[in-house]
Amino acid sequence: MNHEQQHEQEKETIRIGRINYTNVWPMFYHFNPKLQTARVEMIPAVPATLNKAMKEGSIDMGPISSFAYGVSSDSYALFPDLSVSAKGKVNSILLFLKKPLSEVLHGKIALTTTSATSINLLKIIVAKRYQASPEYLSMEPVLEQMMAAADGALLIGDHAIRAYWDNVQNPKYEVMDLCESWHDWTGEWMTFAVWAVRKDIVERCPVEIREIVDAFEASKQLSIANPESLVQEAVKQIGGTAQYWRYYFAGLNHDFGSAQQRGLQLYFEYAYELGLIDHEVRLDIWSENTVG
Ligand SMILES: C=C(O[C@@H]1C=C(C(=O)O)C=C[C@H]1O)C(=O)O
């Protein structure tokens, strides 16, 4: 074994979850997994699966539902300035309605099994903005099946985008954008995903984690500088028009500054107030200082 191979062998392997929805592409599209200090293994899945894998420790870091961070905030630190956020319409957190909202609020709503943040966002909006308490069912993200069982259906990510396109072609349902509803009601940003890292890994591998944070940040900056390459890739892989994807990516924000944090803090306050989370959540942002 030569020196280089030996060095490669000795590197820690860091297991990174990758949400398999388009909304995280800016952070992954230019992410170069060839790092100096670590080997990287990518595990693609929907958010709910990654939330569980993080909790169990079968992945070390990556984007998870903000709600899942809130539930396990003692065990995780947050990466600075990475998120999936929006202010106003997000276009992929959609409640499809078979009847007027006022009736759906007293009926049944089917919730996608792939989400954690958005299903609780819906519960918060329904309980606090509309003072309603519909019956909730948890279902796989297949709109027609959900609508056969319920009066409304919540989809997220690419499942929501595809269902929206079908509904434009063949209109059957009213569509409500939950991020727009949150913003109209509170005036705040909403953060759907945060980049979390297990505290045990931060303590063991601070140098590796630093390099990975930088690689995500570099990918994000390249994507901001050249949005068109993501747009073309989305058309190729998922379909739809370039115009749609330009609009979609322009509506997303991947920062996690004080404005996004304030919105998420309010979400956690409401989640605690409604008993959706059993403790108050403090956002614990990772920095070199906190790991010594
Ligand atoms: C904006 C979105 O955010 C996603 C919503 C999530 C949730 O509801 O738990 C988790 C991760 C995000 O990527 C989306 O999927 O459309």
Side-chain angles (χ1 to χ4, degrees):
M1 197 188 293
N2 69 28
H3 185 70
E4 209 165 298
Q5 284 167 328
Q6 195 178 348
H7 176 65
E8 201 53 37
Q9 282 261 311
E10 284 165 3
K11 284 181 185 173
E12 279 281 345
T13 300
I14 306 284
R15 297 156 306 169
I16 302 180
R18 175 180 176 149
I19 294 178
N20 54 12
Y21 289 147
T22 319
N23 60 63
V24 296
W25 280 19
M27 265 70 64
F28 285 94
Y29 189 69
H30 300 283
F31 181 92
N32 183 354
K34 292 230 171 319
L35 302 176
Q36 295 293 324
T37 60
R39 263 188 306 207
V40 161
E41 190 188 325
M42 292 283 183
I43 295 110
V46 296
T49 306
L50 296 178
N51 300 342
K52 191 159 169 273
M54 266 293 273
K55 185 149 194 167
E56 293 167 354
S58 58
I59 58 174
D60 302 314
M61 59 154 43
I64 57 169
S65 300
S66 318
F67 184 82
Y69 168 76
V71 171
S72 304
S73 53
D74 285 352
S75 319
Y76 305 153
L78 291 177
F79 279 24
D81 230 25
L82 296 170
S83 79
V84 175
S85 301
K87 190 173 191 191
K89 276 193 178 171
V90 66
N91 299 301
S92 55
I93 306 290
L94 302 177
L95 179 64
F96 293 83
L97 304 167
K98 206 155 74 175
K99 304 173 179 169
L101 178 64
S102 56
E103 287 177 41
V104 174
L105 288 173
H106 300 288
K108 284 188 197 166
I109 301 181
L111 305 173
T112 173
T113 51
T114 62
S115 160
T117 307
S118 308
I119 59 181
N120 288 292
L121 178 65
L122 177 67
K123 289 178 181 174
I124 289 170
I125 291 173
V126 163
K128 288 192 63 79
R129 185 175 186 190
Y130 295 106
Q131 282 86 41
S133 49
E135 187 184 326
Y136 292 112
L137 326 169
S138 182
M139 291 185 74
E140 295 299 312
V142 182
L143 187 59
E144 289 315 310
Q145 287 173 17
M146 295 166 103
M147 284 306 208
D151 309 300
L154 177 68
L155 290 175
I156 71 164
D158 296 0
H159 296 113
I161 293 173
R162 290 179 204 274
Y164 175 80
W165 289 342
D166 289 347
N167 196 56
V168 170
Q169 291 285 312
N170 177 15
K172 288 189 189 164
Y173 309 118
E174 287 295 317
V175 182
M176 183 173 152
D177 186 312
L178 283 198
C179 195
E180 184 181 32
S181 176
W182 168 258
H183 180 253
D184 288 349
W185 173 44
T186 64
E188 294 290 347
W189 283 82
M190 180 62 208
T191 294
F192 295 94
V194 288
W195 262 244
V197 54
R198 292 176 55 90
K199 280 188 179 158
D200 48 346
I201 301 298
V202 169
E203 276 153 29
R204 210 175 70 225
C205 309
V207 177
E208 289 85 346
I209 301 304
R210 174 80 262 168
E211 195 184 0
I212 293 168
V213 177
D214 290 347
F216 275 124
E217 187 60 40
S219 174
K220 178 174 126 178
Q221 293 311 329
L222 280 172
S223 300
I224 291 171
N226 181 12
E228 202 53 27
S229 56
L230 275 78
V231 166
Q232 296 306 331
E233 189 62 27
V235 172
K236 209 160 78 191
Q237 277 194 34
I238 302 170
T241 62
Q243 197 187 4
Y244 176 83
W245 289 110
R246 273 181 213 120
Y247 169 77
Y248 181 66
F249 285 120
L252 293 174
N253 176 284
H254 297 95
D255 298 339
F256 196 49
S258 56
Q260 290 82 8
Q261 290 174 26
R262 202 178 64 195
L264 187 57
Q265 200 70 70
L266 182 65
Y267 167 88
F268 284 138
E269 269 167 48
Y270 289 161
Y272 176 61
E273 186 186 315
L274 293 173
L276 300 169
I277 288 187
D278 66 8
H279 57 274
E280 288 185 62
V281 180
R282 196 177 62 87
L283 299 174
D284 185 3
I285 314 286
W286 175 73
S287 78
E288 264 82 3
N289 303 340
T290 57
V291 291

